[in-house]
């Protein structure tokens, strides 16, 4: 059992949870994830490790409740525990000194971006971080990211925080400015956002790394359910990724495969108690 | 009780038939197909054993169960003694009694096979093991041996690892089993379906190991959570039995369509994650017409599972003929009884999709048998121009698995063969001192009992290594 030591709400239905997992805390590197199996009869959910403290033996997870299982996880109170947490899984981010990099985060992807931005800054990069969301309440970790970035830019769809628009608009301006143009871009967020970022960086040929979160079970390469097409090759996101060259990823296929269980998910949602269901639907639109 | 039977009397007894669930009923449930023998049936079957001098059955068993001894005790109705012998030789008898291919092992070499039917060793093993599970108070309690103070790490809690754990614990070594998934059992848990191996059997066999003092830690992915090097520092010896958990892909068009599964994923969803139960959240696409590609036990498990999940047509597509199928005869027979269709001498060419990205068909190539290949089986050769299409909505790829590189990728000193399997000597020793390996990570895709045989023989080698280490 993995004890929950902290559970904060960062944005509507977005939680930051600190969990006791000494072995994982010791082994973990930025870019890696865990599989959380909250209870005996639950699903196995892949979640990126946001941070880790090897001394304290803890890891930090950022979780957005988008369905029955993630709701179960975020509803675990401090002092409660998650039945299974396995990891760290996936390949760590290849951290190198690119000189100037842009880190682009959307929605919960911002949380996944955070350890990466920190590691890139530590490696000597000049980090420009661009984060976006629907509106101000959905902008998370702005302070933390500002602390490790040379510059933090925010875009919201309704203009309630930062500039109005999408992260891609901000990124385009950055690229167009020879003094601020990044040598590499790290984009993590909803699939359409990552695809849009890859399209912005493709013409100028800027190396772009994206982090994929397809449907997964074991996270060890055993089932192949998480396969994604990268260039001409089929890759398993759990062991070959989760980070890939954004210019080679077949985003259309990824989005399509993510819909494979839409019917079952809708049924699970329908079976939830009404007040919980409302909670999720309000956030998801 | 009857006094000793004469050989003639023994020869006169006909081989027992395993009571089975009616095929028409069983395709609607996940309960066990084989129902097990009654005590009366079991004793009578045991009396068929001639107690011959050469005992070929023992040599035919990868874990060397003293078959004639336990059968003799059973024939006399002495179940506690039969159980004592069986449990001492086999860590997982209730599993082996269900999934071992006895027809190519102990039963194949049984002297009675020469003239008629061999003794049903598998059924009797299952009977005695099940009796032991339900009569724990009557089974000989094993004394916990004197602790040796030596610590052994076992990577993977599948058949090889569980056997190893039992063997070493009985020798007094402190054993820790590391399992990557959230439940123990490896392929016994995620691979073999409930209707062939009920999961409560695995639970009970694992609990017996815990009674022997075996420590189990789930959610440890060796190679990721800890490395082999770290285990070597912490333990006196390490056994790697992490299986061949990496599906071989078909590498044909349409493989990434929705509705295409590897057998590993399909079976893991159903078995480990209990997708077959309506009260579980695990989703699975319950196809109406399901094609399973392959001819092994995994293919049979997947295709029979699809039937139970409600498919109207469940089809095996295999590139050779039935004679070359690696699946157990019993599984093929059960599959046929359940209305599984067999399309033989056919190889997949392309999975066809509809406009929304779902599987709608499988295009196949007709094959014929050519010259024997390296495996001794005739090589399937395409008949040019002869293709056909099957209308299906789910395709399961059960062509095989390879070594999973997660552990070995972080153990650069460990010697591998060109397929990524760990190289060992005949006792399971790798090139690294104190590191042993067995099961599918060494053999590639093989069977439960061969993995258990590896676990057992490597346990002897590890015990010797630890003694020598002093």
């Amino acid at each position: 059992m993995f004890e929950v030591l902290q559970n904060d709400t960062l944005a509507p239905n977005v939680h930051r949870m600190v969990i006791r997992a000494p072995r994982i805390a010791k082994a973990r590197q930025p870019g890696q994830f865990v599989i959380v199996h909250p209870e005996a009869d639950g699903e196995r959910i892949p979640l990126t490790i946001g941070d880790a403290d090897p001394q304290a033996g803890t890891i930090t997870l950022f979780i957005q409740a988008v369905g029955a299982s993630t709701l179960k996880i975020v509803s675990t109170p401090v002092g409660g525990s998650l039945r299974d947490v396995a990891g760290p899984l996936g390949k760590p981010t290849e951290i190198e000194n690119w000189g100037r990099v842009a880190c682009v985060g959307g929605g919960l992807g911002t949380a996944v971006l955070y350890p990466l931005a920190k590691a890139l800054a530590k490696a000597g990069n000049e980090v420009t971080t661009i984060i976006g969301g629907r509106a101000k309440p959905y902008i998370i970790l702005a302070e933390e990211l500002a602390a490790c970035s040379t510059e933090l830019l925010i875009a919201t769809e309704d203009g309630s925080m930062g500039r109005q628009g999408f992260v891609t608009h901000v990124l385009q301006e950055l690229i167009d400015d020879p003094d601020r143009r990044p040598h590499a871009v790290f984009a993590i967020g909803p699939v359409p956002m990552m695809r849009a970022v890859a399209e912005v960086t493709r013409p100028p040929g800027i190396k772009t790394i994206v982090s994929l979160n397809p449907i997964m079970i074991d996270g060890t390469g055993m089932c192949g359910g998480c396969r994604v097409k990268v260039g001409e090759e089929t890759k398993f996101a759990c062991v070959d990724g989760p980070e890939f060259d954004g210019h080679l990823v077949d985003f259309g296929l990824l989005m399509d495969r993510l819909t494979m269980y839409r019917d079952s998910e809708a049924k699970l949602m329908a079976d939830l108690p009404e007040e919980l269901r409302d909670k999720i639907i309000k956030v998801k639109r | 009780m009857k006094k000793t039977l004469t050989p003639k009397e023994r020869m006169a007894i006909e081989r027992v038939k395993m009571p089975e669930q009616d095929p028409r009923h069983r395709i609607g449930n996940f309960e066990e197909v084989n129902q097990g023998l009654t005590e009366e049936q079991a004793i009578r079957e045991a009396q068929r054993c001639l107690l011959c001098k050469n005992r070929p059955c023992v040599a035919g068993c990868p874990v060397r169960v003293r078959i004639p001894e336990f059968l003799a005790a059973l024939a006399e109705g002495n179940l506690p003694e039969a159980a004592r012998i069986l449990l001492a030789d086999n860590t997982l008898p209730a599993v082996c009694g269900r999934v071992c291919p006895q027809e190519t092992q102990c039963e194949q070499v049984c002297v009675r096979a020469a003239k008629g039917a061999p003794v049903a060793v598998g059924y009797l093993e299952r009977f005695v093991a099940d009796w032991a599970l339900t009569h724990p108070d009557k089974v000989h309690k094993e004394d916990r041996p004197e602790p040796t103070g030596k610590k052994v790490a076992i990577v993977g809690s599948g058949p090889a690892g569980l056997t190893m754990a039992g063997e070493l614990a009985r020798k007094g070594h402190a054993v820790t089993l590391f399992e990557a998934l959230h439940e123990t059992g490896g392929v016994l848990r995620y691979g073999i379906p409930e209707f062939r191996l009920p999961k409560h059997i695995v639970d009970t066999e694992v609990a017996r190991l815990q009674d022997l003092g075996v420590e189990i830690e789930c959610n440890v992915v060796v190679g990721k959570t800890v490395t082999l090097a770290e285990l070597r520092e912490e333990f006196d010896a390490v056994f790697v039995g992490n299986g061949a958990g990496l599906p071989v892909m078909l590498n044909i068009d349409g493989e990434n369509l929705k509705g295409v599964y590897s057998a590993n994923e399909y079976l893991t969803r159903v078995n480990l994650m209990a997708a077959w139960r309506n009260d579980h959240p695990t989703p699975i696409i319950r196809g109406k017409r399901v094609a399973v590609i392959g001819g092994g036990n995994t293919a049979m498990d997947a295709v029979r599972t699809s039937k139970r999940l409600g498919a109207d047509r469940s089809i095996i597509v295999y590139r050779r003929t039935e004679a070359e199928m690696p699946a157990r005869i019993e599984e093929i027979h059960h599959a046929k009884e359940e209305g599984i269709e067999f399309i033989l001498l056919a190889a997949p060419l392309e999975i066809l999709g509809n406009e929304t990205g779902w599987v709608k068909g499988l295009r196949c190539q007709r094959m014929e048998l050519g010259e024997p290949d390296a495996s001794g089986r005739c090589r399937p050769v395409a008949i040019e121009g002869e293709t056909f299409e099957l209308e299906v909505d789910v395709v399961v790829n059960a062509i095989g698995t390879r070594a999973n590189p997660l552990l070995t990728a972080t153990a650069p000193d460990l010697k591998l063969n060109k397929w990524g399997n760990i190289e060992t000597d005949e006792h399971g020793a790798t090139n690294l001192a104190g590191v042993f390996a067995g099961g599918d990570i060494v053999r590639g895709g093989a069977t439960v009992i061969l993995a258990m045989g590896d676990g057992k023989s490597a346990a002897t080698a590890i015990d010797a290594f630890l003694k020598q280490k002093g």
Side-chain angles (χ1 to χ4, degrees):
Chain A
M1 297 293 259
F2 296 79
E3 193 188 351
V4 176
L5 303 172
Q6 199 186 317
N7 186 349
D8 311 318
T9 308
L10 298 188
N13 265 11
V14 175
H15 288 237
R16 170 169 46 204
M17 298 175 77
V18 177
I19 291 154
R20 191 185 307 285
R23 286 191 193 276
I24 302 171
K26 197 171 149 214
R28 167 267 177 187
Q29 294 174 63
Q32 292 187 296
F33 65 95
V34 287
I35 297 258
V36 177
H37 179 241
E39 55 178 3
D41 294 341
E43 290 183 282
R44 290 169 63 94
I45 307 286
L47 296 166
T48 302
I49 306 168
D51 210 343
D53 183 339
Q55 269 76 45
T58 61
I59 56 170
T60 303
L61 302 178
F62 295 91
I63 308 142
Q64 182 168 27
V66 292
S69 298
T70 40
L71 188 65
K72 190 83 49 143
I73 296 171
V74 303
S75 310
T76 311
V78 172
S81 33
L82 301 169
R83 186 185 188 274
D84 304 283
V85 181
L89 300 167
K91 286 193 174 146
T93 310
E94 284 174 36
I95 302 289
E96 53 182 287
N97 193 342
W98 299 83
R100 201 155 52 213
V101 297
C103 290
V104 186
L108 187 74
T110 303
V112 180
L113 191 70
Y114 168 56
L116 220 153
K118 233 168 67 168
L120 285 165
K122 203 175 153 198
N125 287 285
E126 190 182 307
V127 179
T128 303
T129 301
I130 307 169
I131 58 176
R134 256 163 72 201
K136 191 177 173 188
Y138 300 94
I139 298 298
I140 57 170
L141 300 175
E143 256 177 56
E144 288 89 339
L145 280 163
C148 63
S149 309
T150 314
E151 188 180 11
L152 174 74
L153 304 166
I154 297 172
T156 50
E157 287 171 41
D158 67 354
S160 56
M161 191 176 184
R163 63 166 285 179
Q164 198 235 321
F166 294 106
V167 287
T168 39
H169 300 147
V170 182
L171 178 65
Q172 186 66 61
E173 287 171 9
L174 206 65
I175 291 170
D176 293 342
D177 179 350
D179 295 333
R180 293 158 76 213
R181 182 179 174 148
H183 304 129
V185 172
F186 294 80
I188 307 177
V191 182
M193 184 213 93
M194 292 191 285
R195 169 143 80 175
V197 167
E199 288 320 311
V200 167
T201 57
R202 193 189 303 273
I206 300 171
K207 174 94 174 168
T208 298
I209 305 294
V210 295
S211 179
L212 307 185
N213 193 4
I215 294 168
M216 232 177 241
I217 303 182
D218 57 287
T220 65
M222 190 188 85
C223 84
C226 64
R227 55 194 185 273
V228 288
K229 207 162 168 219
V230 182
E232 284 311 302
E233 285 179 274
T234 292
K235 299 275 191 186
F236 292 179
C238 67
V239 286
D240 301 322
E243 291 171 10
F244 293 102
D245 182 337
H247 294 152
L248 297 178
V249 169
D250 184 339
F251 287 105
L253 178 72
L254 174 65
M255 278 199 265
D256 193 38
R257 286 185 62 82
L258 282 167
T259 65
M260 187 149 159
Y261 298 109
R262 206 161 41 188
D263 292 350
S264 327
E265 281 156 14
K267 195 184 161 295
L268 277 178
M269 287 286 282
D271 292 345
L272 281 178
E274 206 173 329
E275 65 276 15
L276 292 181
R277 193 165 68 226
D278 287 352
K279 198 174 158 194
I280 292 176
I281 290 166
K282 267 186 210 137
V283 181
K284 278 185 85 181
R285 285 187 289 183
Chain B
M1 197 158 305
K2 198 170 185 333
K3 65 175 190 335
T4 315
L5 295 161
T6 65
K8 200 174 169 190
E9 284 171 318
R10 291 175 186 269
M11 287 298 287
I13 306 169
E14 270 190 45
R15 181 178 157 116
V16 70
K17 282 207 165 47
M18 172 60 83
E20 293 172 355
Q21 239 202 106
D22 186 302
R24 282 166 304 176
H25 288 296
R26 72 187 191 228
I27 58 170
N29 65 53
F30 274 80
E31 282 155 40
E32 223 181 340
V33 171
N34 287 348
Q35 302 282 289
L37 304 181
T38 64
E39 186 168 331
E40 196 184 340
Q41 285 176 312
I43 290 174
R44 189 147 177 81
E45 179 64 24
Q47 289 168 346
R48 294 183 66 231
C49 174
L50 300 175
L51 301 168
C52 62
K53 262 201 186 121
N54 291 336
R55 307 149 55 84
C57 52
V58 181
C61 171
V63 298
R64 306 280 182 264
V65 169
R66 287 166 290 162
I67 294 165
E69 278 92 331
F70 100 79
L71 292 189
L74 175 58
E76 289 169 7
N78 187 349
L79 288 161
E81 177 61 6
R84 189 191 64 78
I85 298 166
L86 181 58
L87 291 172
D89 290 351
N90 188 340
T91 304
L92 308 169
V95 172
C96 290
R98 287 171 166 83
V99 305
C100 261
Q102 287 93 7
E103 66 276 10
T104 61
Q105 298 175 350
C106 53
E107 294 184 20
Q108 187 181 41
V109 293
C110 174
V111 294
R112 292 214 53 179
K115 285 186 193 168
V119 176
V121 179
Y123 295 169
L124 297 178
E125 177 178 38
R126 170 184 160 150
F127 174 80
V128 173
D130 284 0
W131 181 88
L133 292 180
T134 48
H135 297 82
D137 48 319
K138 291 187 185 151
V139 179
H140 168 76
K141 275 273 167 293
E142 287 182 73
D143 294 329
R144 281 219 193 174
E146 222 22 58
T148 61
K150 292 281 187 286
K151 290 164 66 185
V152 183
I154 299 177
V155 183
S157 68
L162 291 175
T163 303
M164 169 65 74
E167 295 293 326
L168 290 180
R170 287 192 183 92
K171 293 183 195 324
H173 304 306
V175 175
T176 306
L177 255 180
F178 293 102
E179 167 58 48
L181 291 172
H182 61 266
E183 297 282 4
T184 52
V187 73
L188 307 175
R189 178 81 59 181
Y190 72 75
I192 302 179
E194 188 76 14
F195 56 82
R196 213 148 69 78
L197 177 65
K199 297 307 154 230
H200 71 86
I201 299 281
V202 182
D203 292 336
T204 329
E205 304 252 37
V206 169
R208 189 158 54 212
L209 293 177
Q210 288 173 302
D211 284 346
L212 281 170
V214 173
E215 294 286 332
I216 295 173
E217 201 178 328
C218 287
N219 302 308
V220 177
V221 185
V222 177
K224 288 288 181 186
T225 317
V226 292
T227 60
L228 181 62
E230 287 169 320
L231 290 182
R232 290 181 78 196
E233 274 178 33
E234 203 182 324
F235 293 86
D236 298 297
V238 181
F239 176 75
V240 180
N242 60 346
L246 189 76
V248 176
M249 303 308 280
L250 296 164
N251 289 319
I252 58 174
D253 283 344
E255 193 159 24
N256 294 327
L257 289 164
K258 291 172 289 183
V260 182
Y261 288 103
S262 74
N264 269 1
E265 179 179 3
Y266 190 72
L267 292 171
T268 299
R269 284 182 178 275
V270 176
N271 301 327
L272 173 72
M273 305 302 291
W276 61 278
R277 280 170 50 179
N278 288 328
D279 58 344
H280 267 238
T282 309
I284 190 152
I285 306 301
R286 295 178 180 235
K288 279 287 153 208
R289 289 175 300 276
V290 180
V292 175
I293 299 160
N297 287 321
T298 306
M300 296 305 143
D301 285 343
V303 79
R304 296 172 67 198
T305 294
S306 73
K307 197 79 183 175
R308 285 161 172 79
L309 291 175
D312 298 328
R313 283 187 75 184
S314 295
I315 309 161
I316 284 282
V317 176
Y318 181 56
R319 60 191 186 142
R320 293 182 164 103
T321 72
E322 194 177 317
E324 288 83 21
M325 278 193 171
R328 289 186 66 193
I329 294 161
E330 183 179 56
E331 307 314 324
I332 296 171
H333 170 71
H334 280 161
K336 285 184 174 170
E337 282 184 341
E338 289 165 12
I340 306 300
E341 295 169 56
F342 286 69
I343 296 183
L344 303 171
L345 291 167
L349 280 179
E350 180 187 3
I351 303 168
L352 309 165
N354 66 16
E355 60 289 343
T356 51
W358 288 94
V359 172
K360 67 165 190 184
L362 179 67
R363 197 158 65 81
C364 299
Q365 169 73 54
R366 289 256 184 237
M367 312 294 282
E368 61 188 347
L369 288 184
E371 295 297 309
D373 65 10
S375 74
R377 298 180 298 177
C378 289
R379 189 191 304 276
V381 184
I383 306 175
E384 205 164 319
E386 288 199 29
T387 66
F388 63 97
E389 282 179 20
L390 284 174
E391 198 187 309
V392 292
D393 52 7
V394 165
V395 172
V396 180
N397 160 16
I399 62 169
T401 55
R402 286 185 296 129
N404 187 313
L406 268 196
L407 182 146
T408 52
T410 54
D413 303 338
L414 189 62
K415 203 167 167 207
L416 309 179
N417 69 14
K418 62 177 171 176
W419 299 283
N421 298 104
I422 299 175
E423 280 199 359
T424 67
D425 67 12
E426 67 271 32
H427 307 296
T430 69
N431 67 311
L432 302 179
V435 179
F436 296 75
D440 279 2
I441 188 64
V442 173
R443 295 174 176 272
T447 61
V448 167
I449 188 66
L450 286 175
M452 291 179 58
D454 289 352
K456 191 159 176 172
S457 72
T460 309
I462 289 180
D463 187 49
F465 169 81
L466 293 173
K467 282 199 177 112
Q468 193 189 10
K469 207 177 167 189

